[in-house]
Amino acid sequence: KFQVVLLLHVLEHLSNPWEVIKIAKSHLQDDGLLVVGLPNVCNAKTRLAIFKGNFIYEDIGVMDETHLRFFTYNTAVELIEKTDLEIEDYFSPWRINPFKAIVEHSTIIHRFKHLMPNNPPRFFSRNLNDVVMLFKCKNKL
């Protein structure tokens, strides 16, 4: 049994991520932690690309061509909770500013993107800001 199991950028490549989480949980100590890392398909940059009609698979990143499943913050939480885990903490190591993403996708005002701050304003949701989602989870008591 392990104190910590990491599932970092694995689950989106699987047809049945729920089963893999259950298997990972079986290898955890009672007080162990499962860390889940997933890309967020609803971040502002990807949303704007899709809005413009571009659902283009790439070699790496959120639109990686090997992804079988796509997650938002809400569906990631649902995945975790359906496997009887409790989210202890959340963190995003890669966040974008939705305003800056809009400017970058604009053919007219893209020249001004350097004026936009990289960090997003606090009032935007995790689904717009966070490109990568990290969940620190534990077994429900």
Side-chain angles (χ1 to χ4, degrees), residues 5-73:
V5 173
L6 304 175
L7 293 176
L8 303 177
H9 297 276
V10 172
L11 299 174
E12 65 272 18
H13 299 271
L14 306 172
S15 60
N16 192 344
W18 301 270
E19 188 61 31
V20 172
I21 290 175
K22 288 178 185 174
I23 292 167
K25 281 177 51 178
S26 72
H27 294 284
L28 276 179
Q29 295 174 3
D30 290 340
D31 62 343
L33 297 172
L34 182 67
V35 179
V36 175
L38 295 165
N40 176 16
V41 74
C42 267
N43 72 75
K45 187 174 181 178
T46 304
R47 278 190 196 199
L48 286 166
I50 293 169
F51 179 73
K52 290 176 68 176
N54 299 320
F55 193 90
I56 300 169
Y57 287 99
E58 301 170 345
D59 292 336
I60 60 171
V62 174
M63 297 301 296
D64 185 312
E65 61 192 359
T66 64
H67 289 176
L68 299 179
R69 297 199 170 270
F70 294 96
F71 293 94
T72 67
Y73 176 81

Side-chain angles (χ1 to χ4, degrees), residues 15 23 33 40 44 49 78 85 98 102 108 110-112 129:
S15 60
I23 292 167
L33 297 172
N40 176 16
E78 184 181 304
L85 287 168
I102 290 168
I108 298 170
H110 72 277
R111 289 182 224 122
F112 301 102
N129 294 339

